[in-house]
Amino acid sequence: YTLHELVGLNAADIVAPMENEHINPALDAINSNKQYEREWLFKRKDNSTFSAEVTATILPDGTILVIVKDITERKKLEASLLNETNRLQAIIDNIPVMITLYDPAIKMLYLNKEFETKSGVTTKESAEIDMMALVYPDPKIRKKTEDFMKAAPKKWLEIPFTTKNGTVLTTEWTNIKLENGTQIGIGLDI
């Protein structure tokens, strides 16, 4: 629409039909709170739609000032990011490699499905136990492993890994430091 074409149109004329039920509650909110913000789906003159962020307020003379910001590109980026996140999660959940996320104190924050299957411990359970003591019961091996995890050199270390049921696996591990201080452990059952 041109500015001239917009003059005299009602909200129901420019929003997607599914938004019509939200018009009166929005006007009530604007009239009672003086400030209003919400995402809306708008309808163009050709009936195509676009997402917009709406901010509205009442001016001292009682006029409602509405600012509409087209957020189509942001929505596309959000959808793309969600798609990438889902793809990465599918890889992490299905790759036959053990993956852990842990904090600088080596507290486990996340265990992928392969780690949970091999170890017999879920991410939730790992928060309630001393995971390092479970999988590395020998204090010398545990210390060596902790030092290796904290240093995160770009190499692999072969380490015996004890499962919840007591089975000992021969594993190789490497670690990656992330910018926020957390680290990722990547392990192979060899």
Side-chain angles (χ1 to χ4, degrees), residues 39-140:
E39 285 185 15
W40 286 76
L41 190 61
F42 280 83
K43 179 177 64 172
R44 292 186 181 97
K45 187 176 176 180
D46 66 2
N47 284 327
S48 64
T49 59
F50 69 97
S51 295
E53 189 174 82
V54 174
T55 303
T57 190
I58 297 179
L59 299 177
D61 67 358
T63 305
I64 298 175
L65 172 66
V66 179
I67 300 170
V68 178
K69 179 181 178 186
D70 185 339
I71 57 171
T72 303
E73 287 304 311
R74 184 178 86 194
K75 292 299 230 181
K76 285 179 184 176
L77 288 172
E78 288 172 354
S80 178
L81 180 59
L82 180 60
N83 186 39
E84 291 297 318
T85 300
N86 289 340
R87 183 178 305 141
L88 181 58
Q89 191 62 54
I91 292 168
I92 290 169
D93 286 345
N94 294 290
I95 193 167
V97 171
M98 294 178 282
I99 299 175
T100 65
L101 176 66
Y102 56 94
D103 69 14
I106 312 183
K107 179 181 180 220
M108 297 299 149
L109 305 172
Y110 172 79
L111 311 173
N112 77 334
K113 289 180 182 178
E114 183 72 3
F115 188 100
E116 291 181 341
T117 300
K118 294 282 185 189
S119 70
V121 178
T122 66
T123 297
K124 184 179 178 183
E125 291 171 330
S126 73
E128 300 165 359
I129 62 172
D130 182 346
M131 191 69 185
M132 294 299 288
L134 173 71
V135 296
Y136 307 113
D138 180 318
K140 289 180 183 174

